[in-house]
Amino acid sequence: MATLPIITLPDPVLRKISDPVERVDEAVVKLMDDMLETMYAAPGIGLAAIQVGVPRRIVVLDTADEGEPKSPLVMVNPEIIALGQTTRMYEEGCLSIPDVRVDIERPETVTVRFIDRAGKQQELAADGLLATAIQHELDHLDGHLIIDFLSRLKRDIVIRKFKKQAR
Ligand code: NI
């Protein structure tokens, strides 16, 4: 396994729409394992393939508390098939936008269908932090970022800051 460099704002790659994975082969499994290692090293609770420069619909997650056993989740071609009616507000961060937190209100529960590491179709009903993290990671697959939930003015300030840092 290897840790991979994480792409950060303002890299336009983050706005790409990721393509579906045709089959879970050795290369995809290796990428998922490297993504997990990268996420744990960061540390973070979720990572999408586009954040390491691969425009494929793959996300990895682990929302276990510190001190709890690891509980890695990998999802290929994930699709949300149901969203709850009630919402939950959470201050989200993103490994591609270091030191920025955004309050985001999203459905509190979500059901997601995906292909797992073994190539099998799975369905998972999630709530709380995992439901938030799943929605955040799936946003990445369509080029959406947490700063899109900010007002245009605030978003521009964040983007300008990262452009300046990148110079
Ligand atoms: Ni993110």
Side-chain angles (χ1 to χ4, degrees):
M1 290 210 278
T3 58
L4 307 165
I6 297 175
I7 290 171
T8 55
L9 221 61
D11 195 319
V13 164
L14 293 170
R15 292 303 191 175
K16 268 200 170 167
I17 294 175
S18 295
D19 291 322
V21 173
E22 276 170 31
R23 109 196 139 82
V24 181
D25 57 16
E26 237 175 82
V28 168
V29 169
K30 174 163 194 324
L31 174 63
M32 294 188 304
D33 290 345
D34 288 347
M35 284 170 62
L36 275 172
E37 191 175 333
T38 304
M39 179 190 80
Y40 286 127
I45 61 170
L47 189 71
I50 193 67
Q51 293 180 275
V52 292
V54 181
R56 290 288 177 276
R57 302 187 85 82
I58 303 168
V59 304
V60 300
L61 298 142
D62 189 340
T63 53
D65 277 332
E66 254 179 89
E68 263 182 47
K70 279 185 181 170
S71 120
L73 252 176
V74 297
M75 297 182 181
V76 173
N77 299 343
E79 263 181 280
I80 288 174
I81 54 172
L83 287 169
Q85 299 275 315
T86 55
T87 58
R88 162 185 204 266
M89 178 84 94
Y90 189 75
E91 196 186 43
E92 297 182 27
C94 180
L95 294 176
S96 292
I97 315 173
D99 303 323
V100 172
R101 316 280 303 176
V102 182
D103 279 324
I104 300 176
E105 192 175 356
R106 302 185 191 262
E108 193 175 14
T109 59
V110 61
T111 305
V112 63
R113 182 183 291 156
F114 60 97
I115 310 289
D116 69 11
R117 197 175 181 282
K120 253 184 76 186
Q121 187 171 288
Q122 301 277 357
E123 242 176 68
L124 174 74
D127 61 10
L129 181 58
L130 181 57
T132 296
I134 288 170
Q135 293 171 76
H136 174 121
E137 295 315 323
L138 266 63
D139 272 355
H140 276 296
L141 303 183
D142 293 319
H144 299 144
L145 299 170
I146 54 172
I147 53 169
D148 301 344
F149 290 85
L150 293 171
S151 67
R152 187 167 180 175
L153 180 71
K154 285 186 181 164
R155 182 164 67 241
D156 286 348
I157 291 169
V158 173
I159 292 170
R160 222 177 300 140
K161 194 185 99 186
F162 278 89
K163 277 187 177 159
K164 219 168 151 187
Q165 282 174 5
R167 257 191 252 130

